[in-house]
């Protein structure tokens, strides 16, 4: 996985594989991997990330909004 903006590359386990030259000292690379995100959910084709372990699920948070928007078929919306 490569960030197209910064050109940092990550392995599939989230560990940092490489950075552009001089971007970070070699000894710090083991500390700079991707961190797990407690809540990753989708709604209407959009990915929602929530880093709080205590947060309600997206479904709980949205309440009846998905039912109100159902007629718009947001899952098949093309951007």
């Amino acid at each position: 996985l490569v960030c197209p903006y910064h050109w940092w590359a990550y392995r599939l386990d989230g560990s940092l594989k490489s950075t552009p030259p001089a971007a970070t000292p070699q000894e710090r690379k083991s500390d700079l991997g991707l961190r797990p995100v407690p809540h990753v959910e989708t709604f209407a084709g959009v990915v929602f990330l929530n880093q709080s372990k205590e947060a309600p699920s997206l479904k709980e948070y949205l309440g009846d909004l998905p039912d109100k928007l159902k007629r718009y078929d947001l899952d098949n919306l093309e951007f």
Side-chain angles (χ1 to χ4, degrees):
L1 307 170
V2 179
C3 170
Y5 184 77
H6 296 101
W7 289 102
W8 286 35
Y10 298 90
R11 293 178 187 86
L12 293 178
D13 67 358
S15 61
L16 183 62
K17 180 178 179 182
S18 64
T19 61
T24 187
Q26 185 69 28
E27 62 272 5
R28 291 211 47 230
K29 287 187 178 180
S30 63
D31 298 331
L32 299 173
L34 301 174
R35 306 232 191 299
V37 178
H39 297 282
V40 179
E41 299 175 76
T42 61
F43 171 68
V46 178
V47 179
F48 290 83
L49 307 173
N50 192 323
Q51 296 183 22
S52 172
K53 292 178 182 173
E54 293 82 31
S57 70
L58 181 61
K59 185 176 181 178
E60 287 178 78
Y61 184 78
L62 294 176
D64 63 348
L65 183 63
D67 290 333
K68 290 179 179 180
L69 297 176
K70 194 175 274 187
R71 66 181 170 158
Y72 298 109
D73 194 22
L74 297 174
D75 287 327
N76 294 313
L77 182 68
E78 293 184 24
F79 296 96

